[in-house]
Amino acid sequence: MKKIKNTTLISILYYVFRLFPISSKKVVLSNYVGKGYGCNPKYIAIELLKRNKGWKLVWLTENIETGFPKEIAVVQQDTIKAIFESATAGVWIDNQRKLPHHKKRKKQIFIETWHGGGGPIKKIGADNPSNVGNIPYYKTSLHMDKIVDVMISNSTCCSKIYRSAFLYHGEILESGYPRNDILVDKWKEGKEREKVYSFYKLDNNVKTVLYAPTYRNKRDLEPYSLDLPAVCKVLKERFSGEWRICVRLHPSMQKKAIELASGDNIINVSNYDDMQELLAASDVLISDYSSVISEFALTGKPVFLYSTDINSYAKERAFYCDYRKLPFPLAETNSEMLVNIRNFNNDEYLDRVNIYMSEVGMMEKGNAAEQVVDWLEKKCSKSQ
């Protein structure tokens, strides 16, 4: 089906399809502007299906992909069918901002889950210095403030940031993020590890370190100079066993991942749909300014920071916190990284992480998806 690129035409179609009634039990979900079955919408969908209360689920995606449960209808985004489904759905669930040409009806419910979070690190939205004076951004923020019924937060710090970064005045549900439910306790069951290891044909005895840095505005690989073979070797010395390094670049950098993830014991996992499954399956995380560090820390497993460009990144994005005082071992060079791994003390690390989680007001308890669907059912019952 042909995609529609003209935003004026999209707006018109939203109005045309108001001739059709709203289906109160239809839920339209989207993940990061058309990606596959993952992030918070996935885990809300799982909970909706689990309750078996007649919800009709429709997922909008860039490509019609496999991997979706048979109970979910998959529709290519920005097509006439996708606009029809959105215009007639009772509920929207998204982890990205809707643009002004996405026209919501008064009786529709919009749950905004966002795609980042955790502890406050890099500045986002209106707090990001690069967005100062960005008129389209502010117009979208005002649009979102009008149409969102609730935003999902996993900490008191994130809730505060939503107000300033997104200019949002509406309801915030501090439930935790549904995608993180598996990182609180469920990861110990090993289901996600088994799935990821099977997908990449890894031996069960192998240990994995996930290298998942965020992007820079230049979209270059220079900041990703981590000596992956040396890291693999020192992990074996410190923690024993055979190790593989899984490289996952930000969606805006995925095409360049193949340049970084080459060589023995290195696997490119940038195209894997569900980041949280990768986190649950991994034994160690290495990142920099990404919110995944706070999410992975929920497991109690080691997080290491490799950040060669702290000063320049601070000018580019700015931080909500003193980056150098985060509880995760920080390296600005490869030699520092190897020393940090060799000297890692798990007890001291967990003490620091627990203090940090308390300071940011972390709300993750492992039942966020249940809380979100409880909220939705209550909202629906009131509107009937």
Side-chain angles (χ1 to χ4, degrees), residues 155-183:
S155 68
T156 55
C157 277
C158 274
S159 298
K160 183 178 179 180
I161 289 170
Y162 287 165
R163 300 297 187 198
S164 62
F166 301 135
L167 314 180
Y168 179 68
H169 300 87
E171 182 179 353
I172 295 175
L173 179 64
E174 293 180 333
S175 57
Y177 288 133
R179 68 184 185 207
N180 288 340
D181 286 348
I182 62 173
L183 300 179

Side-chain angles (χ1 to χ4, degrees), residues 237-280:
E237 294 172 5
R238 173 59 183 84
F239 298 106
S240 73
E242 295 299 321
W243 286 79
R244 301 290 183 272
I245 295 183
C246 299
V247 175
R248 175 148 179 126
L249 296 190
H250 187 273
S252 65
M253 296 284 293
Q254 281 184 358
K255 292 181 180 179
K256 294 188 175 182
I258 193 170
E259 299 176 40
L260 198 66
S262 61
D264 295 337
N265 301 328
I266 302 173
I267 306 167
N268 181 9
V269 298
S270 295
N271 291 320
Y272 193 83
D273 277 342
D274 194 330
M275 175 63 164
Q276 260 53 25
E277 288 183 352
L278 293 174
L279 294 173

Side-chain angles (χ1 to χ4, degrees), residues 132-147:
V132 174
N134 186 336
I135 301 303
Y137 181 87
Y138 284 93
K139 285 184 177 179
T140 299
S141 296
L142 294 174
H143 174 67
M144 288 287 287
D145 191 43
K146 290 179 182 178
I147 67 173

